[in-house]
Amino acid sequence: MIVIIKQDSTWDELHPLLRYCQENGIEVQETYGFHLRMLNLVGDTPKLDLDRILAFDAVENVHRLLSPYTLAGRGAHPEDSVVRIGSAAVGGGSFLLIAGPGSVETEEQILETARAVKQAGATMLRGGAYKPRYSPYAFQGLQQEGIRLLVQAGREVGLPVITEIMETAQLPLFADVDVIQVGTRNMQNYELLKELAHCKKPVLLKRGLSSRVEELLLSAEYLMADGNADIILCERGIRTFETVLNYTLDISAVPVVKELSHLPIIVDPCHGAGRRKLVPPLALAATAAGADGLILDVHCDPQNALSDGHRALTPADFQALCAKVSAVRGCL
Ligand code: PEP
Ligand code: MN
C-alpha cells in the first residue's frame, strides 16, 4: 500500500499515522520522489482500513497494491475452486445447471417441474420459498411449507436443492436445503453473511443490483473470513442507464471475476433478461464467456405462475437450451 504524504506535513501530523501502522504490525518504508513524499506500507495491508488512513492529517492520498479480498482473490489461491454439492459440482470445469420455478406453489407443481428439469439435464433444483417481491401485495411465497415441498421434490427425483434466505432468523428452517441462496437485495446484508459464514453449507451469492464486482468479492470475503470456503458467485444483471430491460446482464463480469477470483461464477439470465425470449441467447453468451453454470427459472405453466412467469422457460424450452449449452461448451 502506498500512502502519499502532504508536502508540508509536520512530524506531529505524521506521527499518529506511524503509530497506527506500528499498532497494526505494518512496516513503513519512506521514499522521497522529486515532488513526492510517500510511505510504502508492508505487511497484512488488505486488513487495513483505507478510510482510517485517509483520515490522518498528513495523508494526501492512498493506493492499494493488493486486493482487499485476500481469501476470495486469485493471489493466494491460483487454482479454480470446486464446490461440491452431493452429486453435483461447480468450478474447475464442472458445470452447474440449476433449474426450477421462481416460486414453489403446490406439491404437484414443484414435483412435476422437478421431474421435467431432471429429465432435461438439470443438476440442481431451485424454487423460491421466501420471495423478495417489489410489491407487498404480490405473492410472498409459501415460506416454511415451500422449503418442505422443495426438499421433498428434490429427494424424490434425486436432485440437490437451492432456495433463498432473507434473514438470519430463518436459518434453522434451511437444515435440509443443500445450497443457501443470498439474493441480490441481500448481497450487502453483512449480518446475514456473517451468520452464513458459520453454516457449513455452500452459499450462492448473487451480485447486488447496483454493486461493483469488487463489492461482490468483498461480500464473498465476509463469508470466507469466518470459515465458509464453499461460495458460488452469481451474475444476475445490474441497474444501468439502459431501460429497455429491467437489468443489464453484465456478461463481462464472468471473465473479470475469473481473473480476480478462484471462486466459481454462474449466471442467471432469467432475472437479467426479464423476458422468456431473451433467456436462451443470454444463457449461451454467458456459457461462451466461461460461466461455471446457469440458474434458470423453469415453470410447467408460465402463464399461470404465481411469480416470474414472464421470464420462465417451459420444460421444452429448457431441454432445447440444454442441448445448445452443451454444444457451446464443446467449443470452449
Ligand atoms: C430469485 O432467484 O428468485 C431471485 C429473487 O433472484 P434475485 O435475487 O437475483 O432477484
Ligand atoms: Mn425470481
Side-chain angles (χ1 to χ4, degrees):
M1 181 179 283
I2 302 288
V3 182
I4 313 291
I5 301 299
K6 286 180 188 154
Q7 286 285 10
D8 56 354
S9 59
T10 62
W11 168 252
D12 279 352
E13 285 167 343
L14 193 58
H15 190 247
L17 168 64
L18 297 179
R19 198 173 50 218
Y20 172 76
C21 290
Q22 194 184 19
E23 282 166 5
N24 284 281
I26 300 290
E27 187 195 324
V28 178
Q29 301 163 347
E30 195 161 6
T31 317
Y32 286 89
F34 205 55
H35 293 293
L36 271 185
R37 191 175 164 199
M38 329 185 267
L39 301 181
N40 184 15
L41 273 45
V42 183
D44 196 2
T45 54
K47 297 219 171 108
L48 292 182
D49 183 350
L50 226 66
D51 293 344
R52 275 291 304 274
I53 293 177
L54 273 171
F56 290 109
D57 286 336
V59 174
E60 176 82 44
N61 212 339
V62 55
H63 303 283
R64 277 195 192 281
L65 301 179
L66 295 174
S67 76
Y69 39 83
T70 37
L71 299 172
R74 269 243 187 241
H77 194 296
E79 324 77 50
D80 287 347
S81 279
V82 181
V83 177
R84 293 180 198 286
I85 313 115
S87 55
V90 55
S94 295
F95 197 82
L96 187 63
L97 207 42
I98 308 175
S103 298
V104 177
E105 297 169 9
T106 63
E107 184 169 352
E108 297 69 38
Q109 173 248 13
I110 188 64
L111 193 56
E112 186 188 358
T113 318
R115 288 197 179 112
V117 299
K118 162 92 182 189
Q119 207 234 333
T123 48
M124 189 178 294
L125 177 66
R126 64 151 288 153
Y130 290 93
K131 296 299 299 175
R133 309 303 302 282
Y134 280 112
S135 166
Y137 308 115
F139 178 60
Q140 301 288 308
L142 295 185
Q143 311 195 351
Q144 191 168 353
E145 177 65 358
I147 296 183
R148 190 184 71 76
L149 295 176
L150 177 72
V151 169
Q152 180 180 290
R155 289 205 175 131
E156 173 86 24
V157 303
L159 284 180
V161 300
I162 176 169
T163 193
E164 179 172 351
I165 192 166
M166 308 266 270
E167 53 159 333
T168 51
Q170 292 164 355
L171 195 52
L173 306 174
F174 283 65
D176 297 324
V177 169
D178 300 287
V179 179
I180 300 181
Q181 176 172 327
V182 173
T184 193
R185 293 158 190 84
N186 268 317
M187 188 205 86
Q188 288 177 312
N189 180 342
Y190 299 119
E191 290 309 310
L192 179 61
L193 298 181
K194 282 191 255 178
E195 198 66 33
L196 294 178
H198 299 287
C199 76
K200 309 231 178 321
K201 280 184 194 284
V203 172
L204 177 79
L205 180 64
K206 294 186 101 175
R207 180 177 179 182
L209 51 90
S210 297
S211 296
R212 295 185 176 149
V213 166
E214 177 171 278
E215 291 162 341
L216 171 65
L217 294 175
L218 279 167
S219 287
E221 190 80 9
Y222 260 91
L223 293 160
M224 300 182 83
D226 274 334
N228 194 340
D230 290 331
I231 312 303
I232 309 159
L233 304 171
C234 180
E235 164 60 40
R236 51 79 70 204
I238 50 173
R239 278 271 153 83
T240 68
F241 54 83
E242 178 56 74
T243 54
V244 173
L245 305 174
N246 265 351
Y247 305 104
T248 301
L249 189 68
D250 182 10
I251 300 277
S252 60
V254 173
V256 167
V257 164
K258 292 225 152 273
E259 195 171 285
L260 297 173
S261 173
H262 54 91
L263 295 173
I265 175 161
I266 70 167
V267 171
D268 177 344
C270 293
H271 287 75
R275 279 198 255 140
R276 183 174 316 129
K277 223 178 106 186
L278 300 179
V279 171
L282 292 179
L284 296 175
T287 307
D292 296 297
L294 296 167
I295 177 165
L296 297 156
D297 281 21
V298 177
H299 199 287
C300 292
D301 182 12
Q303 294 194 69
N304 288 301
L306 294 183
S307 74
D308 311 318
H310 57 298
R311 60 173 167 244
L313 301 176
T314 63
D317 296 334
F318 175 62
Q319 187 152 20
L321 179 57
C322 286
K324 290 184 184 164
V325 167
S326 289
V328 169
R329 290 191 64 224
C331 298
L332 297 177

